[in-house]
Structures are given as structure tokens and as C-alpha cells.
Amino acid sequence: MGILEKISEIEKEIARTQKNKATEYHWDYSKRNSPSIELSFWNLLNLQQSTFLSLMTSTASEAASYEFTTLTCIPGVIEYKGANIQLLDLPGIIEGASQGKGRGRQVIAVARTSDVVIMMLDATKGEVQRGLLERELETVGIRLNKRKPNIYFKPKKGGGISFNSTVPLTQCSEKLVQLILHEYKMFNAEVLFREDCTPDDFIDVIVGNRVYMPCLYVYNKIDQISMEEVDRLARQPHGVVISCGMKLNLDFLLETLWEYLALTCIFTKKRGQRPDFGDAIILRSGASVEHVCHRIHRTLASQFKYALVWGTSTKYSPQRVGLSHMMEHEDVIQIVKK
């Protein structure tokens, strides 16, 4: 019997077998004796992002009840608070993706260039999917919801290893730092710990190719679990619970995504005219008037005289400000040139 016929026979057997404690062993035996069924049931991660993409954007991404309906990267655009947020529907990641299985390296390469990772998880399958995905991303140097360790490290051509710290260290010592450096064939370097970091943090600094990015763990299908489980998942750090099937909590997800992207909408105004609320300038939070000038035109900052700003960043409206004034969300700005 060929592998396809064997899979078909097992699927028919599973369909005929009623799910209860008496037949649980039969189910497990059938799955264990078919490599393909085992792969589909246990090792593959069904991320369910295709339905989410279709709901949140105007892009039609194929969605189905079986796993891996997305085989290529499908882009879509979310229009929110005046910004166009590009959403990439990537193929699902399997265990071993970091070693190249299932085109995992290509998928992960796209994830490394993103501003935020949305990890779509099945609320009915617990934390298994999340753990597998985190391990695969961790292996290729993607650090989720972590910031770069505050460690100064500079290789030198001579002089040995210079070690110092500005805070008490409880996880690393000078001797351990030297051992780690020797493992990487480094015998001359300057090291300064500005925070109490772990040995793994120090290794990340040495390697230097790590990517630190925010991640939202989005638990879908909450309509299929108990309220107690929904409450538990919603309280997880960086977790959001939704139901694509019943369109539950999608507004809150968008609001949380906006916060993680740390974007700011700035509106412009010409002298004697009303503000242009139809076309916002999208900047990172913490942007100054100078950043706004550079976004409008690269030579505008050199011709800048002053700006009038209306909004929450000012003490009164309008307020006359300079290039260093920090803008806030939905401020209105009028730039006056020399």
C-alpha cells in the first residue's frame, strides 16, 4: 500500500472512530504509525493568519480549515488612524524551520525586517505552538519583546581584556566574561556592563547580528474555549485574544498593534487654510519638528524659521516652536520659512 493510500485509510479510520476515553489509545496508535499524519497533527503550526488578513485588509488570502493554506508571502494594507500599515501573511513555520525545513529560512528572513511580529496562535491548542515558534525564532537570532543589552563591547588589537561594570552583577563575572571571549577566539577587548545582564545577553552582543523586535501573541478561536481560559490567555504578557470567525476583539487588537508600532500622525496646515486631515505624515513616536521637515522635503529644515503647532504637545494653541520641539499624536503643524 502506498503512502497516500495509507494516509487515506487512517483518515477514514479516524472519522469512523468515536472520540472517548475507550478509543483514545486507538487514536494514538493510528497517529504514531503514520509519519505524515504525525507531522500534520503534531509538528506543523497552523497559524490561521489568512482569515485575519482577509478580515483586516481588502486583500483576499486563501483560508481553510486545514493547515498551511498560505504558501507564499501575501501582502495587505490596514488603514488605521490615517496610516497605511503593511501586513504580510507569511507561510506557517514548522519545527526545524531555523535549519531550513519548509522554506523556513526564507520566511524568517522576512520576519527579521518587520517592525512588529504578530504570532497567530490557536487558543484551543494551549502554549505548544507558541513555544515551538519562539524556539525557532530564538535559534536564528530574533529576540521577541526584548531590548538590546546595555553592554559596551569593543574588540581591540592588543592590551588584553579590559572589564568593568557600573552596576552590581549577579549573573556574570569577569572570569566568565573572559571565558566566553576566549571561546570566540577573542583575547583583546573592552567590555563595560551598564546593567545586570546574563551570559546569553553578552553572547548576543558579541555575535552582533541579533534582532530585537516587539511581538503580539494573538490567540484566535476564543469562541471555542471557556471564559476562564480566555481570561487566562488575555492576561498573558503581550497577549491579545480574538475570534476571526465571530469577529471578536479585533478593534482592541488594532489599538494594541498601533501602540506596539509606536507611530504618530502629524497633520500639516498652510497659512490661511484649514488643516489637511486627509493626508497625515506618519512618524515614529518621539519625532521632532525637524523630523517633520525632513519628511516633507529634504531642504525644508535649512529654510526653517519657526513653526506653529496646535495639539497636545503645546501649552497653548498655536504655539511658536523651533526644530527641537517634540511632536505628539494628531498635532497640527504650520511651517514658516525664512
Side-chain angles (χ1 to χ4, degrees), residues 229-297:
E229 183 66 7
V230 171
D231 183 68
R232 187 188 70 83
L233 293 176
R235 295 177 184 275
Q236 295 287 324
H238 313 289
V240 178
V241 294
I242 66 168
S243 171
C244 289
M246 299 187 68
K247 300 181 181 179
L248 298 175
N249 214 31
L250 299 180
D251 290 341
F252 178 74
L253 173 57
L254 278 178
E255 185 65 34
T256 307
L257 176 60
W258 180 265
E259 293 176 3
Y260 274 60
L261 286 169
L263 299 178
T264 301
C265 289
I266 307 297
F267 301 104
T268 58
K269 177 185 180 301
K270 294 182 179 179
R271 185 175 181 179
Q273 298 183 16
R274 295 178 62 84
D276 183 7
F277 292 115
D279 188 16
I281 298 175
I282 309 300
L283 298 168
R284 293 289 184 185
S285 294
S288 65
V289 171
E290 186 173 5
H291 290 112
V292 177
C293 292
H294 288 312
R295 181 59 63 87
I296 295 174
H297 196 276

Side-chain angles (χ1 to χ4, degrees), residues 284-328:
R284 293 289 184 185
S285 294
S288 65
V289 171
E290 186 173 5
H291 290 112
V292 177
C293 292
H294 288 312
R295 181 59 63 87
I296 295 174
H297 196 276
R298 57 187 177 86
T299 63
L300 185 56
S302 61
Q303 304 171 356
F304 179 86
K305 185 176 182 181
Y306 65 89
L308 296 176
V309 177
W310 293 257
T312 56
S313 69
T314 61
K315 296 180 180 178
Y316 47 87
S317 294
Q319 180 176 334
R320 181 168 170 166
V321 300
L323 285 172
S324 61
H325 177 77
M326 305 304 292
M327 305 293 290
E328 293 185 6

Side-chain angles (χ1 to χ4, degrees), residues 60-326:
S61 183
E62 184 182 357
S65 58
Y66 52 85
E67 298 175 333
F68 290 94
T69 53
T70 301
L71 300 177
T72 60
C73 177
I74 302 176
V77 176
I78 300 175
E79 297 180 2
Y80 188 68
K81 291 188 176 181
N84 291 326
I85 303 171
Q86 187 177 47
L87 186 67
L88 299 178
D89 180 6
L90 298 176
I93 297 176
I94 67 172
E95 189 173 10
S98 56
Q99 281 74 47
K101 292 184 180 180
R103 300 183 66 183
R105 287 178 179 170
Q106 293 92 323
V107 175
I108 292 172
V110 176
R112 288 176 66 93
T113 64
S114 303
D115 295 308
V116 175
V117 171
I118 300 177
M119 190 178 291
M120 295 294 293
L121 303 166
D122 190 332
T124 65
K125 296 184 179 180
E127 302 298 311
V128 177
Q129 290 181 338
R130 175 173 170 173
L132 289 174
L133 280 169
E134 286 179 331
R135 284 195 294 272
E136 294 300 324
L137 297 179
E138 186 86 8
T139 301
V140 295
I142 296 179
R143 304 293 183 256
L144 301 178
N145 296 319
K146 295 180 180 178
R147 58 182 179 84
K148 187 176 181 180
N150 193 359
I151 301 175
Y152 174 78
F153 172 72
K154 183 180 180 181
K156 299 188 298 183
K157 294 183 179 179
I161 296 173
S162 173
F163 175 83
N164 209 337
S165 64
T166 60
V167 296
L169 300 181
T170 62
Q171 305 173 84
C172 267
S173 64
E174 182 175 358
K175 184 176 181 180
L176 181 56
V177 167
Q178 291 177 349
L179 288 174
I180 293 173
L181 288 172
H182 291 168
E183 286 291 324
Y184 283 89
K185 310 300 182 184
M186 295 182 179
F187 304 96
N188 302 283
E190 187 176 350
V191 180
L192 174 62
F193 276 63
R194 298 192 179 102
E195 62 181 355
D196 188 15
C197 296
T198 66
D200 288 338
D201 291 333
F202 181 55
I203 292 173
D204 285 349
V205 172
I206 294 175
V207 175
N209 65 347
R210 306 313 193 207
V211 177
Y212 301 85
M213 60 176 58
C215 174
L216 272 176
Y217 301 100
V218 180
Y219 295 92
N220 190 21
K221 299 184 180 180
I222 60 171
D223 54 301
Q224 300 180 22
I225 60 177
S226 65
M227 287 300 298
E228 291 78 11
E229 183 66 7
V230 171
D231 183 68
R232 187 188 70 83
L233 293 176
R235 295 177 184 275
Q236 295 287 324
H238 313 289
V240 178
V241 294
I242 66 168
S243 171
C244 289
M246 299 187 68
K247 300 181 181 179
L248 298 175
N249 214 31
L250 299 180
D251 290 341
F252 178 74
L253 173 57
L254 278 178
E255 185 65 34
T256 307
L257 176 60
W258 180 265
E259 293 176 3
Y260 274 60
L261 286 169
L263 299 178
T264 301
C265 289
I266 307 297
F267 301 104
T268 58
K269 177 185 180 301
K270 294 182 179 179
R271 185 175 181 179
Q273 298 183 16
R274 295 178 62 84
D276 183 7
F277 292 115
D279 188 16
I281 298 175
I282 309 300
L283 298 168
R284 293 289 184 185
S285 294
S288 65
V289 171
E290 186 173 5
H291 290 112
V292 177
C293 292
H294 288 312
R295 181 59 63 87
I296 295 174
H297 196 276
R298 57 187 177 86
T299 63
L300 185 56
S302 61
Q303 304 171 356
F304 179 86
K305 185 176 182 181
Y306 65 89
L308 296 176
V309 177
W310 293 257
T312 56
S313 69
T314 61
K315 296 180 180 178
Y316 47 87
S317 294
Q319 180 176 334
R320 181 168 170 166
V321 300
L323 285 172
S324 61
H325 177 77
M326 305 304 292

